[in-house]
Amino acid sequence: MMKEKYLIVVATYNEMENLPWLVEALFRETAPWEKELFSCDILVVDDDSPDGTGEWCDAQKGTYPRLKCLHRQGERGLGSAVMAGMRYAVEKAYDRMVNMDADFSHSPADLASLCGWTEKGTFRPVADVVIGSRYIPGGKIVGWPWFRHVMSRLMNTFGRFWLGLKVHDISGSYRNYSVRALRQLDFSRIESTGYSFFEEILWRLRQQGATMEEVPICFEDRLRGTSKINWRESFRAVKTLLFLRK
């Protein structure tokens, strides 16, 4: 099997409480891959965090040569930050792009199954999009209050029906994308800048024939820092999805 270049994208805004430990954990987790991969880089897409997240990344070049930072000024939105990471992956000719949260809600230990790393120390072929799923057997959520469960289930049920998607977890962001599939997207047509981006990108990839699979993950609510999602953002996401099929 040909070696592949991986890019792990982490979008941040005020994540100094988490990012240093996450970066260390990710490089430790992916170290065994180096015999199979040309490289495994991490790209932090930082929205001008006032807590110094972006500055910390810049200061780590000597310690982590494969840690990159994309600084965005005057821009906000998780979806647009992830899309910036996708553009970077396409422009720099990576083979696969993994997106994950910065707050340890997505465990670095789940990277192996998400990327097709086998117990024999090789990579199995995976779909164009591999989704870390909370809603298939083996997947679970730890630490959420009841209203977060309700909000997530409603969004998934509505989105799957409205967009005609067959996968079970369409709102989760822990995913492994083929850059070949991303290269075919017209990013200028993407309407979502917030959390609905993750539903929209699946819909647009399915429209162009991308294959998809799900692997179970354990999603654990953040222990440090503040969540950026709320009911207002959820209603905005529903509105965006309604207009996708106009």
Side-chain angles (χ1 to χ4, degrees):
M1 178 180 176
M2 291 184 61
K3 295 180 179 180
E4 294 184 315
K5 296 193 297 181
Y6 272 66
L7 179 69
I8 300 174
V9 173
V10 183
T12 59
Y13 182 74
N14 286 348
E15 291 291 355
M16 269 302 295
E17 292 180 276
N18 295 297
L19 190 64
W21 291 269
L22 178 65
V23 167
E24 181 182 355
L26 288 175
F27 280 125
R28 184 173 61 250
E29 191 70 30
T30 57
W33 301 6
E34 295 302 322
K35 293 180 180 179
E36 297 293 328
L37 301 178
F38 290 126
S39 64
C40 186
D41 297 342
I42 299 174
L43 174 68
V44 174
V45 183
D46 185 63
D47 281 359
D48 197 21
S49 297
D51 72 345
T53 299
E55 288 82 355
W56 177 85
C57 291
D58 290 339
Q60 303 306 306
K61 291 180 180 178
T63 305
Y64 301 113
R66 289 183 174 174
L67 175 64
K68 323 292 182 181
C69 190
L70 182 61
H71 299 273
R72 303 203 312 161
Q73 295 184 343
E75 295 183 79
R76 290 288 185 272
L78 177 59
S80 63
V82 174
M83 185 162 59
M86 290 178 168
R87 290 179 182 271
Y88 184 97
V90 171
E91 292 168 2
K92 301 298 183 181
Y94 286 91
D95 295 298
R96 308 286 307 195
M97 188 209 104
V98 175
N99 183 74
M100 67 185 303
D101 290 348
D103 58 6
F104 282 97
S105 294
H106 298 148
S107 172
D110 286 329
L111 268 175
S113 59
L114 197 72
C115 297
W117 181 250
T118 71
E119 293 181 358
K120 296 180 179 179
T122 59
F123 284 90
R124 66 175 178 83
V126 295
D128 293 322
V129 186
V130 185
I131 299 167
S133 180
R134 302 160 292 180
Y135 298 133
I136 62 172
K140 61 181 179 178
I141 298 171
V142 176
W144 269 8
W146 67 269
F147 61 86
R148 287 287 302 276
H149 285 279
V150 172
M151 186 165 56
S152 179
R153 287 287 188 177
L154 287 175
M155 280 296 299
N156 270 276
T157 301
F158 163 72
R160 290 176 66 205
F161 168 77
W162 184 248
L163 301 178
L165 294 168
K166 303 301 182 183
V167 293
H168 296 82
D169 193 342
I170 68 168
S171 60
S173 59
Y174 201 6
R175 297 176 184 170
N176 174 7
Y177 298 91
S178 162
V179 175
R180 177 188 57 80
L182 297 179
R183 191 173 290 116
Q184 299 175 47
L185 288 172
D186 181 356
F187 288 107
S188 67
R189 297 186 61 195
I190 295 176
E191 300 179 26
S192 307
T193 59
Y195 286 86
S196 57
F197 172 83
F198 298 106
E199 289 92 343
E200 180 176 354
I201 200 72
L202 287 186
W203 180 68
R204 294 196 181 276
L205 286 168
R206 184 184 63 82
Q207 284 189 311
Q208 67 185 35
T211 58
M212 300 181 186
E213 66 175 290
E214 294 179 274
V215 296
I217 63 164
C218 174
F219 180 97
E220 187 169 1
D221 198 20
R222 67 162 63 231
L223 298 177
R224 297 183 295 268
T226 304
S227 176
K228 284 81 174 176
I229 193 169
N230 52 45
W231 284 103
R232 181 178 297 176
E233 178 64 35
S234 296
F235 287 131
R236 188 180 297 117
V238 170
K239 183 179 178 181
T240 301
L241 296 181
L242 283 172
F243 282 94
L244 279 181
R245 290 181 55 186
K246 290 190 299 182

